């Protein structure tokens, strides 16, 4: 089979990130709330980290339906009034990669990316709208 059947996706890195923060702060916050995450729950909204950003602060929440964990991170720059979900797989990749310095996050209609030390990591959104919430 030709390699053209599996093209390398083109990632367009924006001029500015939706938000960025110190890698150590982010890794510490994610590690601190991972204990309460759901593992392959049938309720897809429990399989992600919920975040909200206001006034250069990011609030992270995760729950398995019984426990709720929360942490707050100071951001270096951000847009205000941003709410969304961070897929667990992307957060796990971030913890495994052990980046240093500054992390930049951006997303488009169907992908969520983070960038550190010249490398871009990404994941597809599996679902865009959670019904019945």
């Amino acid at each position: 089979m030709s390699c053209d059947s599996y093209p390398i996706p083109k990632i367009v890195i924006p001029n500015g990130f939706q938000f960025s923060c110190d890698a150590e702060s982010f890794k510490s916050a994610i590690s601190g709330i991972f204990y309460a995450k759901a593992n392959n729950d049938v309720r897809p909204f429990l399989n992600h980290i919920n975040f909200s950003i206001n006034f250069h602060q990011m609030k992270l929440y995760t729950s398995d339906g019984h426990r709720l964990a929360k942490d707050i991170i100071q951001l270096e720059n951000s847009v205000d009034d941003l709410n969304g979900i961070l897929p667990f797989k992307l957060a796990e990749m971030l913890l495994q990669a052990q980046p240093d310095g500054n992390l930049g996050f951006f997303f488009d209609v169907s992908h969520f990316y983070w960038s550190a030390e010249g490398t871009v990591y990404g994941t597809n959104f599996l679902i865009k709208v959670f019904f019945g919430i």
Side-chain angles (χ1 to χ4, degrees):
M1 182 173 276
S2 169
C3 65
D4 294 333
S5 299
Y6 300 97
I8 296 173
K10 185 172 183 161
I11 299 172
V12 178
I13 300 175
N15 291 336
F17 295 112
Q18 272 91 356
F19 58 95
S20 63
C21 63
D22 176 62
E24 287 304 316
S25 299
F26 195 79
K27 289 186 294 189
S28 175
I30 294 295
S31 296
I33 64 172
F34 248 40
Y35 74 91
K37 77 179 184 75
N39 291 314
N40 297 320
D41 199 287
V42 296
R43 298 165 292 182
F45 55 89
L46 293 179
N47 294 324
H48 298 83
I49 298 170
N50 184 344
F51 69 86
S52 63
I53 297 174
N54 276 311
F55 307 111
H56 295 287
Q57 278 192 338
M58 175 190 241
K59 294 178 183 175
L60 299 165
Y61 304 91
T62 188
S63 177
D64 63 1
H66 302 284
R67 298 173 291 187
L68 175 66
K70 173 186 171 187
D71 207 334
I72 298 174
I73 303 171
Q74 283 299 123
L75 301 175
E76 294 177 9
N77 66 36
S78 69
V79 295
D80 272 339
D81 296 325
L82 180 64
N83 297 303
I85 56 170
L86 175 65
F88 279 138
K89 293 295 182 188
L90 189 63
E92 288 171 348
M93 280 193 302
L94 189 146
L95 292 174
Q96 290 172 359
Q98 295 293 314
D100 292 324
N102 198 25
L103 301 175
F105 295 85
F106 61 100
F107 43 89
D108 59 22
V109 179
S110 60
H111 300 89
F112 197 110
Y113 303 101
W114 65 272
S115 174
E117 302 169 345
T119 303
V120 176
Y121 300 82
T123 187
N124 290 332
F125 288 131
L126 298 178
I127 188 167
K128 294 181 185 173
V129 176
F130 296 122
F131 299 98
I133 297 178

